[in-house]
Amino acid sequence: MPDCLFCKIVAGEIPATVVAEDDQVLAFKDINPQAPVHVLVIPKRHIANTATATESDEPLIGHVLRMGCRVAVEAGVDESGFRLVLNRGPDSGEAVPHLHLHVLGGRRLAWPPG
Ligand code: AMP
Ligand code: ZN
């Protein structure tokens, strides 16, 4: 998708600190971390968000979730705990319209979220 920030990261046009990758998904450190562990997991193929995703996107979105858990385990926060977040729309603070899963951990996370 032209002019999509995360498509440009997938294409290597914008640098990112990649922590995990396979043929379908990319995991990289958030540029403005909100916790000691803050990684974004994205599908390499552009999907706008979970609300507009189709049935055919389900395996890929499931794969994004599994990669998020793998990243958390590899970052050493599985026992202490972590949070997976998908923002959608203005009230959530969504800023980048390419589906991305936040993996947050390494500190006590407030609930309900702010
Ligand atoms: P959201 O608010 O859910 O759309 O999250 C977008 C996230 O992307 C924010 O946490 C940003 O800090 C992060 N972000 C924006 N630009 C970059 C970048 N170039 N590399 C890594 N993370 C980024
Ligand atoms: Zn994109």
Side-chain angles (χ1 to χ4, degrees), residues 46-82:
H46 184 93
I47 296 176
N49 58 66
T50 40
T52 58
T54 64
E55 191 176 348
S56 64
D57 296 323
E58 285 180 9
L60 182 52
I61 293 170
H63 192 64
V64 167
L65 281 173
R66 281 211 325 130
M67 179 61 95
C69 292
R70 191 185 116 189
V71 164
V73 168
E74 289 177 359
V77 294
D78 186 41
E79 284 199 15
S80 54
F82 61 93

Side-chain angles (χ1 to χ4, degrees), residues 19-95:
V19 299
E21 179 176 12
D22 65 18
D23 57 329
Q24 298 180 71
V25 302
L26 186 69
F28 54 95
K29 290 188 178 179
D30 195 291
I31 204 168
N32 182 23
Q34 302 301 311
V37 174
H38 189 174
V39 172
L40 301 175
V41 184
I42 65 171
K44 289 187 171 177
R45 174 167 65 78
H46 184 93
I47 296 176
N49 58 66
T50 40
T52 58
T54 64
E55 191 176 348
S56 64
D57 296 323
E58 285 180 9
L60 182 52
I61 293 170
H63 192 64
V64 167
L65 281 173
R66 281 211 325 130
M67 179 61 95
C69 292
R70 191 185 116 189
V71 164
V73 168
E74 289 177 359
V77 294
D78 186 41
E79 284 199 15
S80 54
F82 61 93
R83 186 172 293 164
L84 303 178
V85 174
L86 288 165
N87 288 323
R88 165 63 184 154
D91 276 355
S92 75
E94 181 192 29

